[in-house]
Amino acid sequence: MRTAITPTRAEHFSDWYHAAVLELAQHGDVAGSQVIKPYGFAVWERVQQYLDAEFKRTGHHNFYAPLLMNISALEQEAKHMDFAQECAVVTHSRLVKDPDGNLVPDRPLTNPVIIRPTSEAIIGPIVKGWIQSHRDLPMKLNQWANVVRWEMRTRLFLRSSEFLWQEGHTFHAAKEEAEQHAKEMLAVYEDIFVDVLAFSPLVGEKPEYERFAGADQTHTLELLMQDGRALQGGTSHNLGQNFSKAYEVQYSDQTGQLTHTFGTSFGVTTRLIGALVMTHGDDDGLRLPPKIAPHQVVILPINAHQSEAVLEKCQAIADQLSQMQYAGAPVRVHVDTRDMRGGEKSWDWIKKGVPIRIEIGPRDLEQDVMMVMARHQAHKQKTKVSSLEVASVVTMIDSVHKALYDSAQKKREEDTHQYENAKEVIDHFNSSSGFVVVPYLDGKGSEAQLKPHGLSVRCLRPCSQAKCVFTGENTLTLAVIAKAY
Amino acid sequence: MRTAITPTRAEHFSDWYHAAVLELAQHGDVAGSQVIKPYGFAVWERVQQYLDAEFKRTGHHNFYAPLLMNISALEQEAKHMDFAQECAVVTHSRLVKDPDGNLVPDRPLTNPVIIRPTSEAIIGPIVKGWIQSHRDLPMKLNQWANVVRWEMRTRLFLRSSEFLWQEGHTFHAAKEEAEQHAKEMLAVYEDIFVDVLAFSPLVGEKPEYERFAGADQTHTLELLMQDGRALQGGTSHNLGQNFSKAYEVQYSDQTGQLTHTFGTSFGVTTRLIGALVMTHGDDDGLRLPPKIAPHQVVILPINAHQSEAVLEKCQAIADQLSQMQYAGAPVRVHVDTRDMRGGEKSWDWIKKGVPIRIEIGPRDLEQDVMMVMARHQAHKQKTKVSSLEVASVVTMIDSVHKALYDSAQKKREEDTHQYENAKEVIDHFNSSSGFVVVPYLDGKGSEAQLKPHGLSVRCLRPCSQAKCVFTGENTLTLAVIAKAY
C-alpha cells in the first residue's frame, strides 16, 4: 500500500519523524537553529492562543524581559556548585571588514553577556524593584520569548539551540499559595493537553534528581510517543524561597516585617509541536487535532480548470461552513484552487494532517454529490453525501478530536506495564519500551541502576503502601520509568 | 497647579518623557536593554492584534526565522561597500568557572555568528528553497521578532539595543505587483495609525540618501512629536530585485523561464509606544487612545473599606459596562480595589492615561451619583450622573479617541511651515521646530546643507511644478524637513 511518508514509522521511527515534520519546520543555516514554516507557525499560534487565554484567566500579565543577561547575574547561582552552561556568549558589539575583505568581530565588550537560556536570573532583579509590600502580591507574570541553549545534536522541535516558549513567573506571600499555584498551572496545562492537543498526559512529580535546579517541587506532564519513548510536555515548579533569596525579592507584611516571597515558574515550548507529530502522525504524515489545525476543512475542486461551476460549488460549501461554529469559533475552511493534479493535491493535505477533506469534481456536480473524508479514517473510506449537511461536517470535526485522543489514550494504556522487581524492569526495556510503573522510594540513589540502560524516572505518583522494587523499603509512591526524548 | 509629572513638557521635554514612560518600561541590567512592564506590554499586545489582523486579511502568513545568522550571509552584501554593523557577535558556546571562580566564555566557535539586526539576509536563503514556480507566488510572510543593534546612547522605546518589531517580507512575480504591495502596506499602517493610535501621520517617500539599503523605494509615515521633532513611525520598502538577486530567489514563469522575484519588506517596532507617549502625553502623564488602552474605564471605590455597598455598586457598574461593546469588543473595565488612599489611586490612573475614570464614595452612594471623568479633559472637570447611562460612557470612550486624534492633527497642522528659500528654512530651525515643507529636487546633494544643522528630509511628497529652494531647478516634489528622533 502506498504511504505518503518514507520510511514508515515501523521501518525507522526517527527518519519517519524527520520526513513528517518537514511540513512544519526545517533546519536553519546556523548549526542547531530551526525555521518554523508558516504552516507550523499557524499551529503554534493556536497553541499560544489557548494557553494565553488561560494565563490571563488565571490572573497573569504578559511582559517582556531582555534577551541578553550579564554573566554576573549567574555568579550568585554558580558560587556553590560546579557550573557549565551551554549558551551563546556575546563578546563583541560590532562587525567590520578586515584588510582582506573578511567580516570580523570588532569592539570587544568589557563584560561579555549571554543570550538567556531561561530568565530566572534576569527576572529576579527586575521584580525585586516591583515588590515592596504585601499589597503588591501575588504578582503573576508571563512572557512569550525565544531562548538559546547551545546544542550540538539537534532535531526539529525536540532539540534545537533556539526555541520558542512561554515562561510564567509568579511571586506569592505564602508558601501554601505558591504550592497551590504550581498545581493550578499544572491543571491548566493538563486541560489544554487533553482538550486542545488530544494528548493523554501522565502527571506527577519529578524525583529529586530530575528537578529543575532551584525548585522545591517540579510537577511534570509526561507524554508517551508512538515509538514508546517518553517526552516531557511541560513543567510547573514550586520554587519556594530559593530564587527570592538569591535575588533578594522581599515584601513587608501587615506588621512591616520583611519576608522573602515564595515563587513558581512554569513553561511549555515549541517542543509540543514535535509531540503532536509523534503522538498523532501516521504513515501518511501529520494528523492535526482540529482545535489547532490551521484549516479544519480543506475543499478540493477536482479538474476545476474544466468547470467554473465546480469552483462555485466549492466556494458555496466553504461559505456555508464558515458560518458554522466549532469550539466557539467559525469553522476554518480553505478552498485549494492551486493548479495541480487532484491526486497530488489530496496527498499534500493528507500529509499536512487536515482533519476533513471535501472533494468535488465535474461528475460529482452532475450528481450533486461530494466526497467527505476524515483524516483519521483510512484514506480510502469515502462518504457520499447528496447535499451538504453542514452540521454533520461540524460533528465530524469533533469526532476527529475524539478519535485522536482515544488513540493516544489507548496507546498509553496499552504501553504501560507493571512489574514486581528490578530485574523485570530492566528485562522489559531490553526488548520493549513504553512506561513501566513500579513502587519506588525516592532519594535512595536507585536511579543509578537505571541510567546505564538509558532509563530515567519520568515522574512519581502516589499509591497505597508497597515495597520499593529497588530497595525493598516501604513507599507510598510509584515511579514511571521510561526511555525519554 | 499640581501636575503628576516633574518636570513639565515645557520645562524639559526629554526628562518629562523619561518620567512619563516609566509606567510602561524601564532600563534593563545590560547596557542598552529594556524591560517592557506588564502595562506597557498590554499596550503592545493590542497594537499587535490590530496589525496582525490586517496582515492576515491582506494574505500574509506568520512564520519564524532564526535569531542567529552566519556572518557569511552578510558577505554578499558587504562585498562592494564599506561595511560596519553595530550588532551582538556570538563567539563562544559555553560559560564555565575558571580556577578563580569567575565565569568565563569557553568553546570558541569556528564561525562566529551574530544576532539578527534585521532578517533579509536570513530570509533570502530560506525563501530561495520555497519558491520554484509562478504558482508559489505571491508569497507573503511576516514575523514578530526581537532584533539587536548595539546602541550606546539609549532611550526607552526610541533607541535600545534590543527591540521588538514585525517584519513583513513578500515575493512577487511582477515589478508592478511589488510596487503596489508596498503601497498597500503603507495604507494599512496609515489606517491603524489614524484609527487605532490616533496619530496624524504624514506619508511620503524617503529621499534617495535616506532609503533602506537595498530598497528601490521607501515609503514612510512621519509623525510630529509635541516638542516639534519628527519620528519615523514605520516604513514599507519596494525592494525591486535587489535582494532576490543577492540570494538567488528565482521562479520559473509559464514558459519555464527563470526570473528573479520582486520583493517588499515593511515594519513597525515598539518605538510606536514611545510615539504614543510623545504624541498624546500631557503634564499629568500618559493619555492612551482607547483602542489600545489596557483598561478603557477604571472604577475607583473611594473609602471602600468603610462600605461594602460601595464595592458592590462599583462591581455592578463594571458588570454593566463590560456587557457593552466599543470598537467591536466588550468594554474593558477594571475595578481598582487596592487598599490605597483615594487621591493616590486617582493620580496613579491619571498618570497611566486611562481614558475614563469613575469614582464612587459612600456619600455618592447615598445620593445615587457617581463622578465620571475623561482623561483628555482637565482633571478638575467632573460630571455628575444620577444613574448609570452606560451608552453615554461608551460614547465618551469614543470621544477620547477623537479628542486625541484632533489634538495630534491640530498640532501637526499648526507646526507645519512653508518657506520660499533655503535661508528661511535654516533660520526657522534656529529658533523653532516642526515640519518645514519646501519645493525640493531630490538627488542633488542638497541634504548636505541640512546636515550641519541637525536637519534631514523626512519624506518627499508630490506637488505641482515649483522651483527647488536649494538648487533653483524645476521640481514636482516637496520635501518635509525636520529635526528627527
Side-chain angles (χ1 to χ4, degrees):
Chain A
M1 199 180 95
R2 178 184 169 184
T3 61
I5 302 293
T6 311
T8 63
R9 289 164 296 170
E11 285 164 359
H12 197 295
F13 193 79
S14 148
D15 286 356
W16 166 85
Y17 174 76
H18 191 74
V21 81
L22 280 180
E23 297 293 335
L24 306 170
Q26 68 188 38
H27 291 289
D29 271 353
V30 172
S33 73
Q34 66 185 5
V35 179
I36 305 180
K37 294 181 176 182
Y39 193 68
F41 202 80
V43 172
W44 179 238
E45 280 184 310
R46 296 190 189 284
V47 175
Q48 286 186 297
Q49 279 166 17
Y50 278 100
L51 286 164
D52 201 67
E54 282 300 288
F55 296 153
K56 283 177 175 146
R57 186 186 64 76
T58 48
H60 299 80
H61 296 277
N62 286 333
F63 83 125
Y64 189 75
L67 175 73
L68 299 174
M69 66 192 283
N70 284 315
I71 290 174
S72 61
L74 292 171
E75 271 164 8
Q76 185 67 21
E77 210 175 312
K79 206 176 278 175
H80 307 292
M81 54 191 262
D82 278 345
F83 183 95
Q85 172 88 55
E86 312 299 318
C87 62
V89 189
V90 177
T91 58
H92 293 71
S93 67
R94 196 175 145 110
L95 207 59
V96 294
K97 200 146 76 166
D98 75 5
D100 297 334
N102 300 315
L103 297 182
V104 291
D106 187 34
R107 291 206 183 139
L109 298 175
T110 316
N111 297 305
V113 297
I114 67 166
I115 300 179
R116 58 181 166 218
T118 175
S119 304
E120 275 80 3
I122 301 173
I123 290 174
I126 294 169
V127 167
K128 175 186 161 66
W130 293 355
I131 292 174
Q132 277 89 41
S133 129
H134 62 96
R135 284 183 298 229
D136 300 321
L137 300 176
M139 185 172 285
K140 301 180 190 172
L141 302 171
N142 180 64
Q143 79 169 343
W144 293 94
N146 50 350
V147 291
V148 173
R149 300 166 186 186
W150 215 271
E151 296 281 354
M152 303 311 285
R153 298 181 53 196
T154 61
R155 196 182 280 195
L156 291 170
F157 289 125
L158 302 179
R159 189 176 291 279
S160 56
S161 288
E162 181 192 12
F163 58 86
L164 305 184
W165 79 348
Q166 81 31 237
E167 44 180 326
H169 298 269
T170 68
F171 303 84
H172 306 264
K175 185 165 182 282
E176 300 69 32
E177 195 184 302
E179 273 174 18
Q180 193 46 48
H181 192 71
K183 285 180 192 157
E184 184 184 357
M185 298 322 290
L186 179 75
V188 161
Y189 286 149
E190 191 176 4
D191 284 350
I192 288 180
F193 278 27
V194 170
D195 293 342
V196 176
L197 304 174
F199 289 160
S200 177
L202 204 58
V203 303
E205 268 186 54
K206 284 287 177 196
E208 223 176 290
Y209 84 101
E210 287 263 342
R211 252 182 231 151
F212 173 55
D216 283 352
Q217 205 178 20
T218 290
H219 304 282
T220 181
L221 300 102
E222 296 291 322
L223 303 169
L224 190 60
M225 303 296 101
Q226 287 182 73
D227 64 346
R229 288 172 73 179
L231 184 144
Q232 178 180 300
T235 47
S236 178
H237 312 290
N238 168 15
L239 303 175
Q241 293 180 309
N242 302 324
F243 281 95
S244 68
K245 283 184 175 162
Y247 300 106
E248 285 300 322
V249 183
Q250 297 184 82
Y251 72 98
S252 64
D253 66 15
Q254 272 90 342
T255 69
Q257 170 132 16
L258 278 182
T259 309
H260 289 101
T261 58
F262 294 84
T264 81
S265 71
F266 49 92
V268 296
T269 79
T270 37
R271 229 185 173 208
L272 285 180
I273 302 181
L276 277 170
V277 176
M278 292 199 296
T279 301
H280 300 307
D282 68 12
D283 294 337
D284 288 332
L286 310 179
R287 300 194 303 174
L288 295 179
K291 284 180 189 153
I292 51 87
H295 313 299
Q296 291 157 337
V297 181
V298 165
I299 305 182
L300 305 169
I302 307 295
N303 297 326
H305 55 281
Q306 300 168 1
S307 163
E308 189 66 29
V310 166
L311 271 181
E312 276 169 21
K313 186 72 174 176
C314 289
Q315 195 52 58
I317 295 170
D319 291 346
Q320 270 184 277
L321 272 170
S322 32
Q323 304 287 320
M324 308 288 300
Q325 299 250 323
Y326 170 69
V331 172
R332 296 187 290 272
V333 198
H334 174 65
V335 181
D336 182 358
T337 57
R338 285 178 300 171
D339 177 16
M340 281 164 71
R341 283 188 313 113
E344 207 183 323
K345 240 191 228 188
S346 296
W347 279 107
D348 187 39
W349 291 113
I350 290 168
K351 276 203 290 185
K352 285 192 159 68
V354 173
I356 311 282
R357 301 189 315 286
I358 297 178
E359 294 186 358
I360 298 183
R363 236 176 305 168
D364 302 317
L365 197 67
E366 279 166 29
Q367 300 162 36
D368 202 22
V369 300
M370 63 179 183
M371 308 295 168
V372 183
M373 287 148 282
R375 176 64 179 84
H376 69 287
Q377 289 160 344
H379 57 266
K380 293 195 173 174
Q381 289 175 20
K382 295 185 181 186
T383 312
K384 279 200 176 198
V385 279
S386 59
S387 70
L388 179 65
E389 293 173 20
V390 174
S392 81
V393 172
V394 175
T395 310
M396 198 183 277
I397 294 173
D398 200 44
S399 76
V400 175
H401 178 88
K402 195 172 172 339
L404 294 181
Y405 175 74
D406 287 349
S407 148
Q409 193 189 28
K410 185 159 170 270
K411 163 73 184 162
R412 170 162 77 77
E413 281 171 3
E414 287 177 357
D415 211 0
T416 298
H417 313 273
Q418 303 194 334
Y419 292 102
E420 299 293 315
N421 62 57
K423 185 178 176 302
E424 284 174 351
V425 173
I426 305 301
D427 283 351
H428 172 92
F429 285 107
N430 280 337
S431 59
S432 187
S433 60
F435 283 152
V436 163
V437 180
V438 290
Y440 182 91
L441 189 61
D442 191 31
K444 298 290 172 180
S446 305
E447 62 270 15
Q449 299 184 46
L450 298 171
K451 224 176 163 183
H453 303 279
L455 299 172
S456 56
V457 175
R458 306 311 305 155
C459 66
L460 302 173
R461 291 164 61 83
C463 66
S464 49
Q465 190 168 301
K467 297 238 180 276
C468 170
V469 296
F470 294 100
T471 65
E473 292 175 70
N474 284 337
T475 181
L476 291 169
T477 56
L478 296 170
V480 178
I481 297 170
K483 284 192 180 160
Y485 277 97
Chain B
M1 199 179 97
R2 178 184 171 186
T3 61
I5 302 293
T6 311
T8 63
R9 290 164 295 171
E11 286 164 359
H12 197 295
F13 192 79
S14 147
D15 287 356
W16 166 84
Y17 175 76
H18 191 73
V21 81
L22 280 179
E23 297 293 334
L24 305 171
Q26 67 188 39
H27 291 290
D29 271 353
V30 172
S33 73
Q34 66 185 6
V35 179
I36 305 181
K37 295 181 176 182
Y39 194 68
F41 201 80
V43 171
W44 179 239
E45 279 184 310
R46 296 190 187 285
V47 175
Q48 285 186 298
Q49 279 164 18
Y50 278 100
L51 286 164
D52 201 66
E54 282 300 289
F55 296 154
K56 283 176 175 148
R57 186 187 62 77
T58 49
H60 299 80
H61 297 276
N62 286 334
F63 83 124
Y64 189 75
L67 175 74
L68 299 175
M69 65 192 282
N70 283 315
I71 290 173
S72 61
L74 291 171
E75 270 163 9
Q76 184 68 19
E77 209 175 314
K79 206 176 279 176
H80 307 292
M81 54 192 264
D82 279 345
F83 183 95
Q85 173 88 55
E86 313 299 320
C87 60
V89 189
V90 177
T91 59
H92 294 71
S93 67
R94 196 174 144 110
L95 208 57
V96 294
K97 202 147 75 166
D98 74 5
D100 297 335
N102 300 314
L103 297 181
V104 292
D106 188 34
R107 291 207 183 137
L109 298 174
T110 315
N111 297 305
V113 298
I114 67 166
I115 301 179
R116 61 183 162 215
T118 175
S119 303
E120 275 79 3
I122 301 174
I123 290 174
I126 294 169
V127 167
K128 173 185 163 66
W130 292 354
I131 292 174
Q132 276 89 41
S133 129
H134 61 95
R135 285 183 296 230
D136 300 321
L137 300 177
M139 184 172 286
K140 301 181 190 172
L141 303 171
N142 180 63
Q143 78 169 343
W144 292 95
N146 51 350
V147 291
V148 172
R149 300 165 186 187
W150 214 269
E151 295 282 354
M152 303 311 284
R153 298 180 54 194
T154 61
R155 195 183 282 194
L156 292 170
F157 291 124
L158 303 179
R159 188 177 292 277
S160 56
S161 288
E162 181 192 9
F163 58 86
L164 305 184
W165 78 350
Q166 75 42 232
E167 44 180 324
H169 298 269
T170 68
F171 303 84
H172 307 264
K175 184 168 184 281
E176 301 69 32
E177 194 185 301
E179 274 173 20
Q180 194 47 47
H181 191 72
K183 285 180 192 158
E184 184 184 357
M185 299 321 292
L186 180 76
V188 161
Y189 286 149
E190 191 175 6
D191 284 350
I192 288 180
F193 278 28
V194 170
D195 293 343
V196 176
L197 304 174
F199 289 159
S200 177
L202 204 59
V203 303
E205 267 185 55
K206 283 288 178 195
E208 223 176 289
Y209 83 102
E210 288 263 341
R211 255 182 230 149
F212 173 55
D216 283 353
Q217 206 178 19
T218 290
H219 303 282
T220 181
L221 301 102
E222 297 292 323
L223 304 169
L224 190 60
M225 302 297 102
Q226 287 182 73
D227 64 346
R229 287 173 73 180
L231 184 144
Q232 178 180 301
T235 48
S236 179
H237 312 291
N238 168 16
L239 303 175
Q241 294 180 309
N242 302 323
F243 281 95
S244 68
K245 284 184 175 163
Y247 300 107
E248 285 300 323
V249 183
Q250 297 183 83
Y251 73 98
S252 64
D253 66 16
Q254 272 91 342
T255 68
Q257 168 133 16
L258 279 182
T259 310
H260 289 101
T261 57
F262 294 84
T264 81
S265 71
F266 49 91
V268 296
T269 78
T270 37
R271 233 188 170 205
L272 285 180
I273 303 181
L276 277 171
V277 176
M278 292 200 295
T279 301
H280 300 306
D282 68 11
D283 294 338
D284 289 331
L286 311 179
R287 299 194 306 175
L288 294 178
K291 285 179 190 156
I292 51 88
H295 313 298
Q296 291 157 336
V297 181
V298 165
I299 305 182
L300 305 168
I302 307 296
N303 298 326
H305 54 281
Q306 300 168 1
S307 162
E308 189 66 30
V310 166
L311 270 182
E312 277 168 21
K313 186 72 175 179
C314 288
Q315 195 52 57
I317 296 171
D319 291 346
Q320 270 184 276
L321 271 170
S322 33
Q323 305 286 320
M324 309 287 300
Q325 298 249 325
Y326 170 69
V331 171
R332 296 188 289 272
V333 198
H334 174 65
V335 181
D336 182 358
T337 57
R338 285 177 299 171
D339 178 16
M340 282 164 69
R341 286 189 310 113
E344 208 183 321
K345 238 190 227 190
S346 296
W347 279 107
D348 187 40
W349 292 113
I350 290 168
K351 276 203 290 185
K352 284 192 160 66
V354 172
I356 311 281
R357 302 191 313 289
I358 297 177
E359 294 186 359
I360 298 182
R363 235 176 306 168
D364 301 318
L365 197 66
E366 278 167 31
Q367 301 164 36
D368 202 23
V369 300
M370 61 180 185
M371 307 294 166
V372 183
M373 288 149 282
R375 176 64 179 83
H376 68 288
Q377 288 160 345
H379 57 265
K380 294 196 172 172
Q381 289 176 21
K382 295 185 180 184
T383 313
K384 281 200 174 197
V385 278
S386 59
S387 70
L388 179 65
E389 295 174 18
V390 174
S392 81
V393 172
V394 176
T395 310
M396 199 183 277
I397 294 173
D398 200 45
S399 77
V400 175
H401 178 90
K402 194 171 172 339
L404 294 182
Y405 175 74
D406 288 348
S407 148
Q409 192 189 29
K410 184 159 170 268
K411 163 72 185 165
R412 170 162 77 78
E413 282 170 3
E414 287 178 357
D415 211 0
T416 297
H417 314 274
Q418 304 194 333
Y419 291 104
E420 299 293 316
N421 63 57
K423 187 179 174 303
E424 285 175 351
V425 174
I426 306 301
D427 284 353
H428 171 92
F429 285 106
N430 281 336
S431 59
S432 187
S433 60
F435 283 153
V436 163
V437 181
V438 290
Y440 182 90
L441 188 61
D442 191 29
K444 298 291 172 178
S446 305
E447 62 270 16
Q449 298 184 47
L450 298 171
K451 223 176 163 186
H453 304 280
L455 300 172
S456 56
V457 176
R458 305 311 305 156
C459 66
L460 303 173
R461 291 163 62 84
C463 66
S464 50
Q465 190 169 300
K467 296 240 180 276
C468 169
V469 297
F470 294 100
T471 65
E473 292 174 70
N474 283 336
T475 182
L476 291 168
T477 56
L478 296 170
V480 178
I481 296 169
K483 283 191 180 159
Y485 277 96

